[in-house]
Amino acid sequence: MALPMRKSRLFYSLGIYFKFHLKLRVSYHDSVRVRFAPSPTGMLHLGGLRTALFNYLFAKSKNGNFVLRIEDTDQTRKVPKAVEKLEDVLQWTGIVPDESPTVGGPYGPYLQSERRSLYEKSVETLLKSGHCYHCFCTERRLEMLRKDAAKRGEPPRYDNKCRYLTEEEVNENLEQNIQSVIRFKYEPLESAWTDLVYGLMHEKSVGESLEGDFIVMKTDGFPTYHFANVVDDHYMKISHVLRGEEWTISTPKHLQMYKAFGWEPPAYAHLPLIVNSDGTKLSKRQGDITVEYFREQNYDPNAILNYLTTVSGAFKESTEGKTLGEMISMFSLDNVTSHPARLQPEKLKPLNGHHLRRQFHGEQKQQIVNKTQEMVQKHYMERVANSHVLDLSYIEHILTWALVSRISHLEDLLSNSLNFIWVIPDQEKVKSALFKDKNSETMIKGTIDKLNIVHTFKEAPLKETLMCFCKEQGFKTKHYMTALRNCLSEQKEGPPVAEMMEMLGKQETLKRLQSASDSLNTGQT
Ligand code: GLU
């Protein structure tokens, strides 16, 4: 009995601590300012999109600002046009930054490569205060240290040799233009910090840094990620850092630098990993993890966002079918858990269906109809040229039917089983299939007669008429339906025959049955 009591008291105290601590952090900054800070090293992946999305939702739910900062200090990993593509794909998702390289803003420039003078000035401050020093170790020496560590089975570690150079030695080396980097004097972080997702953290819990004093300015004069990241978050007045869990390990370094500068750090929230449904890590080799891939597949951007949010906690209610705008008030950082978020690929299509239906039954109806027309025209080319299937009213009729439950993606309308909607069946194929059944002619001719007198060309009465005729004639239902399906679509599978007839309408249905009947009279194939 005593243990649970003690445990609950501990949680209670921690809760008070968190609340107090967080309140302090938030009130320190006047307003919420968050940033998405990708490196332009390739396409935007689902993990990056989730980070951008959560930053955006957090900012908007707090009337704050969402900043896009490009971290391009690693010149060797820069990919041409990556920034443009990134901004473009973010625009497509609707996650539009308030400040960015393109939009500009009061704390620009927003490309780190254009902020070098700020980093130079900032590193001077730390050199003067003794938190940083010049390191003249050659690549050869560093390589030797790495090899020695490997021999001992230890992780590579800089031995901090240049930390102890005298001022004269440093000046002499600088005068002789000996190449140098600038390192930060790293000391293990004594105090704990609060991560808004992971709770109370300590350097030991994230894995103590064993690499020795780390580099902040490289030989090419560019800052390292850690340094530029801290300097920019400070000068851009970032109040909360929401980023992927893989950066947790860097946080002690960042906090040390804040301490050295005498700056208040932002609040940190690390977001759990996004993994495959079987728990394995997403790999760059997987084709289906770039946002561009889903865009090319013609998915609705909101469906992609739902795909991420339905697995990510952070929402009180289900986000299925919700738009980006609607998700703002549903988002709460308090609900984000530290469990990895497992993607559920089978959910993506139904999620897309939600948005397609919503658009079709809302203001974007005309756009969807036009898009379908364009898609059908492009796909079937001359097979549909000048045909009634391109009439907007016909397309609207098809969409109304298909969107109830048949399709979740416009491209589904091009599947084999729905070909009949757009193209007339190939009479040679129809004929050769019908010849397999000796009753074909009686079946088709009799059906034509029956359908001619059906008044309401709707699924239910059609089904009844067909079934009555089938029974009356003693046909096997399966054989009869296969023959009719064949006349209408040349396919073996598809929607129920009566439903197909309703879709095609009386005139087109009778026309197809008649063509099939005529083809039977033109001899064996
Ligand atoms: N540039 C880092 C990245 O590519 C940003 C990490 C951070 O948000 O601090 O993800």
Side-chain angles (χ1 to χ4, degrees):
M1 206 51 211
L3 188 63
M5 282 289 285
R6 241 187 295 152
K7 235 178 158 182
S8 70
R9 225 173 282 139
L10 172 69
F11 285 131
Y12 179 74
S13 324
L14 278 177
I16 299 272
Y17 171 80
F18 287 150
K19 278 197 185 121
F20 180 64
H21 195 70
L22 300 187
K23 217 168 162 191
L24 270 184
R25 286 207 182 286
V26 178
S27 61
Y28 167 76
H29 297 278
D30 320 336
S31 59
V32 166
R33 288 181 54 80
V34 295
R35 75 334 186 250
F36 174 47
S39 302
T41 53
M43 306 272 223
L44 181 63
H45 286 189
L46 289 180
L49 179 63
R50 194 273 314 263
T51 303
L53 172 66
F54 277 23
N55 272 291
Y56 176 89
L57 293 175
F58 182 67
K60 297 296 144 192
S61 65
K62 306 267 180 215
N63 284 326
N65 279 5
F66 170 63
V67 176
L68 172 67
R69 180 174 78 222
I70 302 294
E71 302 207 327
D72 60 346
T73 57
D74 190 345
Q75 297 294 295
T76 58
R77 294 180 64 222
K78 246 176 148 172
V79 170
K81 295 263 172 253
V83 179
E84 289 84 341
K85 282 188 187 153
L86 199 117
E87 290 205 67
D88 180 59
V89 85
L90 275 184
Q91 187 83 29
W92 175 73
T93 61
I95 304 175
V96 182
D98 300 303
E99 298 164 34
S100 75
T102 314
V103 184
Y107 301 98
Y110 294 89
L111 275 174
Q112 286 189 327
S113 54
E114 292 174 7
R115 301 171 63 84
R116 288 174 65 186
S117 56
L118 178 65
Y119 309 129
E120 276 156 23
K121 199 182 89 191
S122 306
V123 88
E124 272 311 314
T125 310
L126 293 190
L127 280 168
K128 277 203 191 104
S129 64
H131 289 95
C132 280
Y133 62 88
H134 285 276
C135 167
F136 301 93
C137 288
T138 59
E139 190 41 48
R140 222 172 118 216
R141 176 168 195 276
L142 297 175
E143 185 54 31
M144 236 172 57
L145 289 178
R146 279 194 282 268
K147 279 190 179 148
D148 284 351
K151 262 188 230 156
R152 292 192 303 273
E154 289 170 8
R157 181 179 194 285
Y158 177 60
D159 59 1
N160 300 350
K161 177 173 177 252
C162 293
R163 206 196 246 222
Y164 308 102
L165 292 178
T166 62
E167 207 179 321
E168 288 75 46
E169 285 170 320
V170 171
N171 287 338
E172 212 171 287
N173 284 345
L174 288 177
E175 267 160 36
Q176 287 176 31
N177 276 332
I178 298 181
Q179 213 180 39
S180 68
V181 296
I182 299 174
R183 288 184 187 266
F184 183 84
K185 289 183 186 169
Y186 187 74
E187 302 296 339
L189 198 67
E190 303 275 280
S191 50
W193 72 96
T194 305
D195 186 288
L196 300 185
V197 174
Y198 286 77
L200 204 58
M201 305 289 279
H202 201 273
E203 180 156 1
K204 286 207 168 58
S205 61
V206 301
E208 218 172 330
S209 173
L210 300 169
E211 65 186 276
D213 293 341
F214 60 88
I215 300 175
V216 289
M217 286 297 242
K218 300 178 281 186
T219 45
D220 62 3
F222 275 86
T224 54
Y225 150 73
H226 299 293
F227 189 64
N229 190 272
V230 163
V231 169
D232 285 346
D233 282 347
H234 173 74
Y235 283 107
M236 291 184 176
K237 293 201 174 1
I238 298 301
S239 61
H240 296 73
V241 168
L242 275 59
R243 60 184 175 193
E245 185 252 298
E246 66 275 22
W247 301 102
T248 311
I249 193 164
S250 306
T251 311
K253 279 185 189 161
H254 298 180
L255 289 172
Q256 278 230 0
M257 285 190 272
Y258 278 103
K259 204 166 141 203
F261 277 117
W263 296 337
E264 176 80 9
Y268 287 97
H270 287 87
L271 307 172
L273 272 185
I274 295 191
V275 294
N276 288 310
S277 53
D278 60 2
T280 54
K281 273 194 173 177
L282 300 184
S283 139
K284 289 201 173 151
R285 273 167 309 209
Q286 273 173 257
D288 57 353
I289 62 160
T290 65
V291 182
E292 209 56 62
Y293 166 85
F294 296 104
R295 187 183 185 180
E296 277 162 17
Q297 302 279 313
N298 225 346
Y299 278 99
D300 186 286
N302 284 304
I304 310 299
L305 300 180
N306 293 161
Y307 183 43
L308 294 171
T309 51
T310 45
V311 298
S312 287
F315 298 89
K316 291 184 196 98
E317 304 144 46
S318 160
T319 53
E320 277 183 27
K322 301 290 182 195
T323 60
L324 176 64
E326 288 166 342
M327 282 191 270
I328 295 173
S329 60
M330 299 169 73
F331 177 85
S332 167
L333 200 52
D334 296 344
N335 293 343
V336 180
T337 64
S338 54
H339 304 301
R342 287 183 186 229
L343 289 176
Q344 294 170 298
E346 71 284 358
K347 281 205 161 178
L348 186 54
K349 277 206 153 204
L351 285 170
N352 200 63
H354 271 294
H355 289 286
L356 204 51
R357 271 192 293 283
R358 197 179 160 144
Q359 288 166 356
F360 182 69
H361 295 296
E363 283 169 13
Q364 279 149 293
K365 183 178 205 149
Q366 208 46 50
Q367 262 164 276
I368 301 286
V369 174
N370 293 344
K371 212 166 151 186
T372 309
Q373 186 195 48
E374 215 174 281
M375 179 185 81
V376 170
Q377 198 162 19
K378 201 165 151 202
H379 187 79
Y380 293 105
M381 310 280 260
E382 69 278 3
R383 289 183 79 187
V384 293
N386 305 320
S387 146
H388 79 284
V389 300
L390 293 179
D391 291 351
L392 295 178
S393 58
Y394 178 74
I395 293 176
E396 191 179 320
H397 160 70
I398 295 297
L399 283 167
T400 310
W401 163 77
L403 279 170
V404 174
S405 62
R406 292 241 161 251
I407 64 162
S408 51
H409 210 256
L410 282 187
E411 275 72 10
D412 294 347
L413 285 172
L414 305 178
S415 67
N416 274 348
S417 63
L418 298 184
N419 257 351
F420 76 95
I421 294 173
W422 313 112
V423 290
I424 295 166
D426 177 335
Q427 287 313 312
E428 283 308 310
K429 284 191 189 155
V430 172
K431 191 162 109 179
S432 67
L434 289 178
F435 267 122
K436 288 180 191 147
D437 192 328
K438 63 175 175 17
N439 290 326
S440 290
E441 196 167 353
T442 333
M443 286 174 177
I444 300 167
K445 283 200 168 138
T447 307
I448 294 176
D449 292 342
K450 293 283 173 196
L451 293 185
N452 260 321
I453 50 171
V454 170
H455 291 299
T456 325
F457 221 73
K458 293 273 176 222
E459 189 187 355
L462 283 168
K463 190 174 170 190
E464 205 186 314
T465 307
L466 298 178
M467 290 315 289
C468 268
F469 177 62
C470 180
K471 225 171 168 183
E472 188 184 294
Q473 296 291 318
F475 301 140
K476 280 202 167 137
T477 316
K478 195 174 161 220
H479 292 177
Y480 178 54
M481 291 303 167
T482 305
L484 293 185
R485 178 184 302 288
N486 195 22
C487 300
L488 299 176
S489 71
E490 91 190 33
Q491 301 289 330
K492 289 197 182 73
E493 280 165 7
V497 171
E499 203 175 323
M500 286 168 80
M501 289 181 169
E502 181 185 337
M503 288 324 301
L504 290 169
K506 188 167 185 170
Q507 203 186 343
E508 185 65 21
T509 302
L510 287 172
K511 201 165 130 195
R512 291 190 188 189
L513 291 173
Q514 193 58 55
S515 304
S517 166
D518 294 347
S519 73
L520 283 176
N521 295 324
T522 59
Q524 186 99 32
T525 45

